Amino acid sequence: MANEPSRITDNLLNVFNYCFVETVPYAFFKPNPERDIAVNLVDKEYHCPGCGKVTRVVYQKRPLTYYSKGKLAQERRIYDRLGKEFPFMGEIQAGKPFTNEAIGYCRDCAAKTILPSEEPGQRVANLALQLHGEDELVVAKARAAMEQALKDWLDRVEKPEDFLQYSLTDFNALRDFICAVMLEDTRAVSEVLAAYRTKIAGLEEEIRSLLTELPAVWHAYAARSTGVYESMNDKMYHEYTVAFPQPGTMPEDYYVYRSLEKSRVLMFLEQPRIETLEELLMEVGFHGEWIDLVNQRIQQLLPEA
């Protein structure tokens, strides 16, 4: 239980993004005027065709972002669909602020039209999103269970002198003490793990069954968060091509119609997932807030001055 970046869940997140969100790989890149166009990219707008909602995301400021000609042509088609005037090339070259436009269903509209779909291709995308959610939630649920175990133990302490036997003199001693308390009773965490394993087994089985009906590549709506980066090159991303939302951007999911690949979905399914209690505890790690809980309990037990 060390406070280190998780390994299994971080890898699952990266693979999920590669399959369903930002599908182009990182590559070394040098802008080429014959294929790359410098744009003063300032923001992005997501347009929901269901309710008309528009969400604007401001990008982190940078001098120029390079679009591939193919990606810029896609942008022109989206401008046309939205009835917006696409800037002339002379305006782009002169540095006119440029907005990256996207069309996708907001979460509320997707809940009515996309998520209930039984069409195999869309169903795979929906189930994969559920699986991703379970991968993320299991760590949060386990952390909550571990914190509750610590709180329950602290509630049973009746006087501050009861802490003296543990020699809580420094950070390492406090950390070891808290870990030992949590490991005294791991029933709740084990239940979280068992429920997770049962849930994902069902999701994986259904996804694999549906994949047998699908071609190597198909189109479906996949959720994209407004809080993630995006490459303006349709084949790669690099510091020259990638745009990042400003820090503090509140993420929303928009469901964007795009191509999906069976090989990538299988890659996501075949990634190692948390199987053992030890792995789950390692994924949760150690959190400084737990020390605050101990200190708060000691303060509660001290006699008032």
Side-chain angles (χ1 to χ4, degrees), residues 37 39 41 67-93 96-101:
I37 301 170
V39 173
L41 182 64
Y67 268 79
S68 65
K69 289 186 175 180
K71 188 81 168 182
L72 200 60
Q74 294 174 23
E75 273 296 296
R76 182 186 292 273
R77 290 192 288 271
I78 294 175
Y79 267 70
D80 290 342
R81 286 178 60 187
L82 294 172
K84 296 188 66 173
E85 183 177 347
F86 194 79
F88 294 110
M89 190 55 64
E91 293 175 317
I92 292 176
Q93 292 173 343
K96 179 180 178 179
F98 186 83
T99 296
N100 178 13
E101 300 288 1

Side-chain angles (χ1 to χ4, degrees), residues 5-127:
S6 60
R7 293 167 292 180
I8 297 175
T9 47
D10 278 359
N11 186 58
L12 286 169
L13 174 60
N14 291 335
V15 175
F16 177 81
N17 286 340
Y18 180 62
C19 296
F20 297 98
V21 181
E22 183 57 78
T23 62
V24 293
Y26 181 90
F28 292 103
F29 176 81
K30 183 178 180 181
N32 183 336
E34 295 183 0
R35 71 180 182 214
D36 307 305
I37 301 170
V39 173
N40 180 19
L41 182 64
V42 294
D43 59 8
K44 179 168 185 172
E45 290 181 345
Y46 292 84
H47 299 258
C48 177
C51 65
K53 176 182 177 180
V54 179
T55 298
R56 178 173 179 260
V57 177
V58 179
Y59 286 135
Q60 295 181 34
K61 186 173 291 187
R62 60 187 308 168
L64 293 171
T65 304
Y66 285 85
Y67 268 79
S68 65
K69 289 186 175 180
K71 188 81 168 182
L72 200 60
Q74 294 174 23
E75 273 296 296
R76 182 186 292 273
R77 290 192 288 271
I78 294 175
Y79 267 70
D80 290 342
R81 286 178 60 187
L82 294 172
K84 296 188 66 173
E85 183 177 347
F86 194 79
F88 294 110
M89 190 55 64
E91 293 175 317
I92 292 176
Q93 292 173 343
K96 179 180 178 179
F98 186 83
T99 296
N100 178 13
E101 300 288 1
I103 298 174
Y105 286 92
C106 68
R107 179 180 288 275
D108 289 341
C109 290
K112 302 172 186 175
T113 61
I114 294 171
L115 298 181
S117 175
E118 294 297 327
E119 190 278 321
Q122 188 60 57
R123 181 75 175 151
V124 164
N126 296 343
L127 291 171

Side-chain angles (χ1 to χ4, degrees), residues 180-193:
V181 168
M182 290 178 170
L183 291 174
E184 279 186 5
D185 184 1
T186 58
R187 286 176 296 178
V189 183
S190 297
E191 290 171 1
V192 167
L193 177 60

Side-chain angles (χ1 to χ4, degrees), residues 139-151:
V139 177
K141 290 178 179 178
R143 175 177 173 177
M146 293 163 68
E147 288 184 3
Q148 190 58 52
L150 176 61
K151 290 177 181 177

Side-chain angles (χ1 to χ4, degrees), residues 207-220:
I207 293 172
R208 289 183 185 277
S209 176
L210 290 168
L211 285 175
T212 62
E213 306 175 32
L214 293 170
V217 180
W218 72 94
H219 283 79

Side-chain angles (χ1 to χ4, degrees), residues 123-275:
R123 181 75 175 151
V124 164
N126 296 343
L127 291 171
L129 183 61
Q130 288 184 43
L131 179 55
H132 170 60
E134 295 298 326
D135 291 335
E136 297 282 306
L137 283 173
V138 67
V139 177
K141 290 178 179 178
R143 175 177 173 177
M146 293 163 68
E147 288 184 3
Q148 190 58 52
L150 176 61
K151 290 177 181 177
D152 291 343
W153 189 94
L154 292 172
D155 286 343
R156 293 193 293 271
V157 178
E158 298 180 350
K159 52 187 182 298
E161 292 79 8
D162 292 340
F163 289 100
L164 294 176
Q165 60 181 304
Y166 301 107
S167 302
L168 306 180
T169 55
D170 56 27
F171 171 83
N172 290 334
L174 271 167
R175 181 194 60 198
D176 293 345
F177 159 72
I178 291 171
C179 291
V181 168
M182 290 178 170
L183 291 174
E184 279 186 5
D185 184 1
T186 58
R187 286 176 296 178
V189 183
S190 297
E191 290 171 1
V192 167
L193 177 60
Y196 164 72
R197 295 301 306 177
T198 299
K199 180 68 173 179
I200 68 169
L203 291 171
E204 290 177 349
E205 181 180 3
E206 186 173 355
I207 293 172
R208 289 183 185 277
S209 176
L210 290 168
L211 285 175
T212 62
E213 306 175 32
L214 293 170
V217 180
W218 72 94
H219 283 79
Y221 288 93
R224 178 182 182 85
S225 171
T226 59
V228 301
Y229 69 86
E230 182 175 4
S231 176
M232 303 308 151
N233 187 298
D234 48 3
K235 291 186 169 47
M236 69 183 82
Y237 81 90
H238 186 271
E239 283 76 7
Y240 290 113
T241 72
V242 70
F244 293 91
Q246 283 190 347
T249 298
M250 292 298 294
E252 295 182 59
D253 280 345
Y254 273 81
Y255 289 73
V256 179
Y257 196 64
R258 44 155 301 171
S259 64
L260 298 176
E261 299 178 23
K262 182 183 293 187
S263 61
R264 296 194 185 193
V265 176
L266 287 170
M267 180 194 308
F268 176 61
L269 292 180
E270 291 164 0
Q271 293 304 301
R273 284 180 161 78
I274 298 169
E275 295 185 4

